[in-house]
Amino acid sequence: MLSIEYKDNLSKELKEKIDQEFSKYALDNSLESNYKSFNFIAKEDDKIVGIITGHCCYKEIHISDLIITKNYRHKRLGTKLINTVETYYKNKDFENINVTTYQFQAPVFYEKCGFKIEFVRENKENPKLNKYFLVKYFK
């Protein structure tokens, strides 16, 4: 009998199984998934003041989270973390970096970093939750 259960956290074994199946499916379609997560952490005196996370897959880099602690905002740390990701992946056969963000978060910041809006999904009840899909091409 089939069952479905909710899990807050996945075991290392299950994460590996997902990666294996993802890669197999890509290979079945004559592609290499090359899925890999990344995390760049900004520290000052061993204190974490910012982090950017995401993953690469196929020809794209996706930024999942960009967090700057309150006292370090508006000091160009977010830009430095974006630039770090760009520099790290620039000549590694990827075509673009993409990110999603909400209206209340950072669409203007990403535009200042050279990202272009591809699409905005409007939230009819709360415009602060309009979701922006942005991309920046390497070439």
Side-chain angles (χ1 to χ4, degrees):
M1 177 165 69
L2 178 69
S3 67
I4 299 174
E5 65 181 273
Y6 172 82
K7 291 275 191 185
D8 280 325
N9 297 302
L10 300 178
S11 67
K12 182 179 177 183
E13 179 182 304
L14 191 50
K15 287 178 184 178
E16 288 172 0
K17 176 70 173 167
I18 291 168
D19 288 344
Q20 289 170 359
E21 292 300 320
F22 193 81
S23 292
K24 283 182 195 176
Y25 189 76
L27 287 173
D28 288 347
N29 287 279
S30 303
L31 295 168
E32 181 183 346
S33 69
N34 67 333
Y35 185 94
K36 187 173 181 180
S37 296
F38 67 81
N39 307 286
F40 293 97
I41 301 166
K43 291 183 178 182
E44 185 169 83
D45 301 324
D46 291 328
K47 178 182 170 187
I48 295 173
V49 296
I51 186 168
I52 189 167
T53 68
H55 65 271
C56 60
C57 188
Y58 304 114
K59 293 286 194 177
E60 298 184 317
I61 309 301
H62 178 76
I63 295 171
S64 300
D65 294 299
L66 174 58
I67 308 294
I68 308 298
T69 59
K70 191 171 185 174
N71 292 340
Y72 286 82
R73 292 180 193 152
H74 308 291
K75 296 182 180 181
R76 304 200 41 84
L77 180 54
T79 302
K80 288 178 185 175
L81 286 166
I82 294 282
N83 290 341
T84 299
V85 171
E86 288 181 30
T87 300
Y88 186 84
Y89 286 105
K90 188 167 188 160
N91 295 310
K92 295 186 178 171
D93 205 29
F94 291 98
E95 293 177 358
N96 64 68
I97 301 175
N98 58 73
V99 65
T100 58
T101 190
Y102 291 101
Q103 174 66 44
F104 81 96
Q105 290 175 322
V108 173
F109 163 76
Y110 287 110
E111 286 183 288
K112 286 179 182 177
C113 290
F115 287 77
K116 303 290 183 212
I117 297 172
E118 285 189 303
F119 180 77
V120 178
R121 183 184 305 135
E122 292 185 26
N123 183 295
K124 303 294 184 205
E125 295 178 18
N126 187 346
K128 289 181 181 180
L129 296 177
N130 288 348
K131 189 169 188 175
Y132 287 71
F133 296 75
L134 299 104
V135 65
K136 183 174 186 179
Y137 290 94
F138 284 115
K139 298 173 185 176

